Amino acid sequence: MKKNFLFIGFGSIGQRHFINIKEQIIDGDFYVYIGENKTNITIRPNFNIIESELKLLSSKTELKEKIRNLKKGDVVFICSRSFEHTENLLTIFDS
């Protein structure tokens, strides 16, 4: 069964998690939220990431909708800046 992977934040740590998942050949859909109205993902130079493999969520509304539709076994990575972690967790629990 295909899993959903949601990354809240996609800097070097988020990208490293993505690469590790892909290296395990885990079939899934990959969603990325990098902030309200942000539409460009900055891929780190040494990471072999194809941007078309990622589905960008560009609003908190889209993020909350995706969280509400997660199924058992889906995974959420909080990879934002550490001072944003609490806010991100509250978004997940409030959705």
Side-chain angles (χ1 to χ4, degrees):
M1 181 178 192
K2 201 173 212 183
K3 287 185 177 215
N4 289 306
F5 295 90
L6 171 59
F7 294 86
I8 300 175
F10 203 66
S12 59
I13 298 301
Q15 291 178 32
R16 171 55 52 203
H17 287 313
F18 172 79
I19 290 168
N20 289 338
I21 292 166
K22 293 298 283 187
E23 286 176 352
Q24 297 300 315
I25 314 173
I26 296 173
D27 187 27
D29 289 322
F30 298 90
Y31 298 89
V32 175
Y33 176 76
I34 55 174
E36 191 74 18
N37 299 318
K38 294 190 178 178
T39 57
N40 294 327
I41 299 172
T42 302
I43 305 296
R44 299 301 187 252
N46 296 328
F47 292 160
N48 186 20
I49 295 175
I50 301 167
E51 196 169 336
S52 62
E53 294 179 304
L54 306 169
K55 297 171 177 81
L56 182 64
L57 306 174
S58 59
S59 72
K60 232 177 198 173
T61 302
E62 284 182 296
L63 173 63
K64 289 179 178 184
E65 181 68 24
K66 177 49 64 186
I67 291 168
R68 280 192 295 274
N69 291 315
L70 292 174
K71 306 281 189 262
K72 184 175 182 177
D74 290 343
V75 180
V76 177
F77 292 94
I78 296 179
C79 303
S80 56
R81 295 173 286 194
S82 59
F83 72 87
E84 296 174 320
H85 285 24
T86 301
E87 178 185 342
N88 296 151
L89 277 171
L90 292 173
T91 298
I92 290 168
F93 291 127
D94 289 342
S95 294

